[in-house]
Amino acid sequence: MKINCIAVDDEPLALEIIKDYCAKVPFLNLMQAFDNAIDTMEYLRNNRVDLILLDIQMEDLTGIQLLKALKAKPHVIMTTAFDNYALQGFDLDVTDYLLKPISFERFLKGVNKVYDRMLNEANVPADKTTSASPADTAGRDYFFVKTDTHIEKVTSSEVLYVEGMGDYWRIITKNKRIMTLMNARGIEEVLPERQFCRVHRSYFVAIGKIDSIERRHIKIADQRIPIGDTYQKSFFDIIEKKK
């Protein structure tokens, strides 16, 4: 599924960063970029888009004013240097609120939310009368990570564990190893929360791939992974619930 999007920001550098981020995400199709809300409104009158990446503080018309003026609102991710608009944004049902400077990892998390929403919408009948159940919003079985040269799609169910390697993280799957430039926070954001657990400052493990636990170590495939003091209680709480 492709997401047709536009970017709106009156700061040239910020707009270039968003355009660059969009180019790195396979499911995003950036149709146009604008430096003001007036031209954006004119474009939206004649073109259908799925997502607006929208700055807030702009001359003539702010991002908030633009949203209020739209009759049919696409998905919206706000991009701003100010946090005092968050409540207004979520009152307008924006999907995410990104504070500048925006990291690629945070941007990726935001557009993945839009992807999930659109998948859920596509699976709900047009005459829906009830909200989706938790099973309907279980999410997808993949995520994207940044490597030295490209963005790589990773199938969640194939991941055994993720290991910290200095400034890099190494994702170990059944068939390959992927080195990613993402930091620990970025890794934690893209890993499906129900499937993975951090057990050490240098390790995340796939709970369903654990072969055995012996004292302070986890065995997955041929790897023995230590359980750090900081993560011991939360890990064993999860294991206890899985019994």
Side-chain angles (χ1 to χ4, degrees), residues 7 9 11-25 28 30 33 53 79 98-105 107:
D9 201 309
E11 298 178 30
L13 180 58
L15 193 57
E16 285 302 315
I17 290 172
I18 294 298
K19 288 163 66 176
D20 179 60
Y21 285 176
C22 288
K24 292 177 179 178
V25 181
L28 289 182
L30 183 63
L53 298 155
T79 61
L98 308 184
L99 282 175
K100 299 174 182 176
I102 302 166
S103 69
F104 179 70
E105 290 83 4
F107 176 84

Side-chain angles (χ1 to χ4, degrees), residues 4-239:
N4 293 319
C5 63
I6 60 172
V8 188
D9 201 309
D10 63 351
E11 298 178 30
L13 180 58
L15 193 57
E16 285 302 315
I17 290 172
I18 294 298
K19 288 163 66 176
D20 179 60
Y21 285 176
C22 288
K24 292 177 179 178
V25 181
F27 59 76
L28 289 182
N29 174 35
L30 183 63
M31 300 170 71
Q32 289 285 345
F34 301 94
D35 62 6
N36 67 86
I38 303 297
D39 289 343
T40 303
M41 286 189 67
E42 184 61 31
Y43 182 84
L44 290 172
R45 285 193 184 99
N46 302 302
N47 297 275
R48 180 187 174 278
V49 303
D50 302 310
L51 167 66
I52 306 176
L53 298 155
L54 181 64
D55 186 25
I56 295 178
Q57 286 202 340
M58 297 181 288
E59 292 185 8
D60 298 326
L61 200 66
T62 69
I64 295 288
Q65 291 170 326
L66 169 64
L67 285 184
K68 289 181 177 179
L70 294 178
K71 292 182 179 180
K73 294 183 180 66
H75 297 279
V76 177
I77 293 178
M78 286 185 164
T79 61
T80 178
F82 305 95
D83 59 5
N84 53 313
Y85 294 101
L87 184 58
Q88 283 179 278
F90 287 112
D91 281 344
L92 291 167
D93 196 30
V94 303
T95 304
D96 210 344
Y97 190 96
L98 308 184
L99 282 175
K100 299 174 182 176
I102 302 166
S103 69
F104 179 70
E105 290 83 4
R106 187 64 185 85
F107 176 84
L108 193 58
K109 182 179 180 181
V111 296
N112 276 334
K113 286 182 182 179
V114 176
Y115 193 100
D116 284 344
R117 279 196 178 189
M118 290 182 62
L119 279 182
N120 291 332
E121 289 166 359
N123 290 329
V124 176
D127 61 344
K128 62 182 180 187
T129 56
T130 59
S131 59
S133 67
D136 293 328
T137 57
R140 61 197 182 287
D141 186 38
Y142 66 88
F143 56 91
F144 293 94
V145 296
K146 183 180 180 181
T147 70
D148 281 321
T149 59
H150 63 286
I151 304 297
E152 182 150 353
K153 180 180 178 180
V154 182
T155 302
S156 306
S157 59
E158 293 183 354
V159 177
L160 302 176
Y161 61 91
V162 184
E163 179 182 7
M165 306 286 290
D167 294 333
Y168 292 80
W169 284 81
R170 183 171 63 175
I171 300 171
I172 310 298
T173 75
K174 296 177 180 179
N175 303 312
K176 59 184 176 180
R177 301 184 175 197
I178 303 162
M179 294 294 288
T180 174
L181 298 173
M182 297 169 70
N183 57 27
R185 182 180 176 184
I187 286 290
E188 194 161 17
E189 287 179 344
V190 299
L191 289 175
E193 185 177 355
R194 295 181 182 180
Q195 300 175 36
F196 292 86
C197 176
R198 192 170 190 179
V199 298
H200 188 275
R201 65 188 301 271
S202 298
Y203 287 96
F204 293 87
V205 300
I207 300 168
K209 299 298 191 299
I210 295 174
D211 294 322
S212 62
I213 304 166
E214 184 177 349
R215 295 182 182 178
R216 297 290 296 276
H217 286 84
I218 297 164
K219 186 173 183 298
I220 296 180
D222 295 325
Q223 179 75 9
R224 291 181 79 247
I225 297 171
I227 303 170
D229 293 339
T230 305
Y231 307 95
Q232 184 175 3
K233 184 180 183 305
S234 60
F235 170 69
F236 282 108
D237 284 348
I238 291 172
I239 296 302

